[in-house]
């Protein structure tokens, strides 16, 4: 009940906040005669709507992960990664980010829904938190087998995460930058990983980048 109360309170706030923001911008636009200023305000509205859309998408993913049972089926990690990257191409400007793939393990038996949710969040974050000051930006995706586990690593040379936030980023609604995310993404990742009896861990250095490691059991 406490978790539900916290979710409802935070979700309601995050759903209403962009609406209040949009109302304020519309009020300003009605009084603005400068076309360039109106264009800037419309861009702000687009950003606010994009955040709202992402937040609703995160809530849907969270609900799916919470309610769905584990469905183990044959799948291709390479295909899931390609599908996620293709989807992100239309959402984020990632043309100048090099994508490196090292797929040592491809065909596996696992939960397709949760792997898609996890990879979508990890890769989306790697794009969103890219370091714009760096010329050679990259995202590296590796899959391999270690003992009786499958391992998926997502590494980037983005802005990195402060040491004191390494554990907190997996908490529901925790954000390091309110303009970048809803604070649900990594809590969804952890929820999905735990459902599969797996783990998610992060190694990150501020200003240098981050590596997220997902491990899921073979059986």
């Amino acid at each position: 009940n406490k978790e539900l109360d916290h979710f409802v309170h935070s979700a309601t706030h995050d759903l209403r906040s962009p609406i209040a923001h949009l109302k304020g911008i519309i009020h300003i636009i009605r009084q603005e005669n400068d076309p360039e200023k109106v264009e800037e305000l419309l861009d702000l509205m687009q950003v606010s709507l994009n955040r709202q859309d992402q937040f609703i998408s995160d809530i849907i993913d969270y609900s799916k992960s919470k309610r769905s049972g584990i469905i183990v089926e044959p799948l291709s990690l390479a295909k899931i990664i390609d599908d996620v990257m293709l989807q992100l191409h239309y959402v984020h400007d990632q043309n100048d980010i090099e994508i490196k793939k090292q797929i040592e393990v491809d065909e596996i038996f696992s939960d397709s829904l949760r792997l898609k949710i996890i990879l979508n969040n990890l890769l989306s974050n790697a794009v969103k938190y890219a370091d714009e000051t760096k010329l050679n930006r990259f995202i590296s995706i590796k899959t391999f087998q270690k003992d009786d586990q499958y391992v998926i690593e997502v590494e980037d040379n983005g802005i990195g995460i402060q040491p004191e936030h390494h554990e907190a980023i997996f908490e529901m609604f925790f954000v390091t930058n309110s303009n970048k995310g809803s604070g649900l993404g990594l809590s969804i990742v952890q929820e999905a990983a735990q459902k599969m009896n797996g783990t998610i861990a992060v190694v990150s250095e501020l200003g240098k980048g981050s590596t997220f490691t997902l491990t899921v059991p073979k059986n």
Side-chain angles (χ1 to χ4, degrees), residues 205-219:
E205 188 172 346
L206 196 64
K208 291 192 174 181
S210 306
T211 301
F212 284 86
T213 303
L214 170 72
T215 61
V216 292
K218 288 178 62 178
N219 299 320

Side-chain angles (χ1 to χ4, degrees), residues 77 80-81 84 88 114-124 141 152 154 189 214:
L77 289 176
I80 290 177
I81 291 168
V84 170
L88 291 177
R114 287 183 172 82
L115 280 178
K116 287 177 182 176
I117 289 173
I118 291 170
L119 285 169
N120 181 65
N121 278 285
L122 294 182
L123 293 172
S124 176
I141 309 150
I152 302 174
V154 176
V189 167
L214 170 72

Side-chain angles (χ1 to χ4, degrees), residues 2-219:
K2 286 183 179 179
E3 182 180 347
L4 179 60
D5 287 344
H6 175 61
F7 179 85
V8 171
H9 173 76
S10 299
T12 302
H13 173 270
D14 284 356
L15 286 169
R16 294 189 67 186
S17 180
I19 294 173
H21 187 223
L22 288 171
K23 285 181 177 179
I25 294 175
I26 291 171
H27 177 72
I28 296 172
I29 288 177
R30 291 186 189 278
Q31 304 174 49
E32 184 61 61
N33 296 319
D34 184 350
E36 291 187 4
K37 185 65 176 178
V38 170
E39 190 67 28
E40 290 178 9
L41 292 169
L42 288 173
D43 288 340
L44 287 176
M45 291 179 70
Q46 185 66 56
V47 170
S48 187
L49 286 169
N50 288 343
R51 287 180 56 199
Q52 184 86 332
D53 185 57
Q54 181 61 55
F55 183 66
I56 293 171
S57 177
D58 287 343
I59 290 177
I60 292 170
D61 282 348
Y62 180 76
S63 176
K64 285 179 181 177
S65 182
K66 273 284 191 184
R67 296 169 64 89
S68 301
I70 294 292
I71 300 176
V72 177
E73 58 187 347
L75 56 88
S76 165
L77 289 176
K79 185 178 186 309
I80 290 177
I81 291 168
D82 288 343
D83 288 347
V84 170
M85 293 308 302
L86 182 63
Q87 180 181 354
L88 291 177
H89 177 76
Y90 295 103
V91 179
H92 304 289
D93 183 11
Q94 56 163 4
N95 294 329
D96 55 351
I97 301 177
E98 181 185 3
I99 307 298
K100 305 176 182 179
K101 290 185 287 187
Q102 186 176 331
I103 310 297
E104 295 181 13
V105 172
D106 181 16
E107 301 290 337
I108 69 171
F109 283 85
S110 192
D111 188 306
S112 176
L113 169 65
R114 287 183 172 82
L115 280 178
K116 287 177 182 176
I117 289 173
I118 291 170
L119 285 169
N120 181 65
N121 278 285
L122 294 182
L123 293 172
S124 176
N125 281 350
V127 173
K128 285 191 293 186
Y129 294 97
D131 191 339
E132 296 181 1
T133 66
K134 294 174 182 173
L135 294 177
N136 301 314
R137 295 185 286 173
F138 72 84
I139 298 172
S140 173
I141 309 150
K142 299 178 182 177
T143 70
F144 55 94
Q145 182 177 319
K146 184 177 181 182
D147 300 326
D148 59 347
Q149 294 179 319
Y150 297 123
V151 182
I152 302 174
E153 283 186 358
V154 176
E155 178 187 0
D156 64 66
N157 63 340
I159 60 176
I161 304 166
Q162 293 173 274
E164 61 268 27
H165 293 160
H166 287 188
E167 293 185 12
I169 57 173
F170 294 104
E171 296 175 5
M172 190 181 295
F173 297 112
F174 178 86
V175 291
T176 57
N177 185 335
S178 59
N179 292 322
K180 294 283 189 179
S182 64
L184 273 176
L186 288 177
S187 68
I188 294 170
V189 167
Q190 187 176 63
E191 165 77 19
Q194 290 173 347
K195 282 275 189 176
M196 295 191 294
N197 292 322
T199 62
I200 182 71
V202 62
V203 175
S204 182
E205 188 172 346
L206 196 64
K208 291 192 174 181
S210 306
T211 301
F212 284 86
T213 303
L214 170 72
T215 61
V216 292
K218 288 178 62 178
N219 299 320

